[in-house]
Amino acid sequence: MDFACRSGRRSQQAARLLSQRGSEAADVIGGMERWARHGLPVQDAHGGPGTVI
C-alpha cells in the first residue's frame, strides 16, 4: 500500500502502524505538497487533474 497526505505526517504514521502489523506499506516523504512542488502529477479520484489544498 502507498499512502499520501498533504504534509506527510498522517501518511507516515499510517504506514508505520501498518508495517508494525505486518503489512507492506510506504508513504510519500514530504506529503503531497512536496510532490506537487516538484512538478509531479496530481490526479483526482476520477483520474482527472487534481489539486493539493
Side-chain angles (χ1 to χ4, degrees):
M1 281 184 202
D2 297 323
F3 292 93
C5 68
R6 187 183 44 157
S7 70
R9 175 172 244 186
R10 290 169 295 177
S11 62
Q12 183 181 46
Q13 291 171 343
R16 185 181 306 123
L17 177 65
L18 288 168
S19 291
Q20 289 171 348
R21 294 182 180 190
S23 294
E24 186 175 324
D27 85 291
V28 174
I29 296 171
M32 289 304 297
E33 288 177 332
R34 185 172 181 191
W35 179 273
R37 236 186 350 261
H38 284 276
L40 297 166
V42 178
Q43 294 181 334
D44 66 16
H46 306 288
T51 58
V52 178
I53 55 171

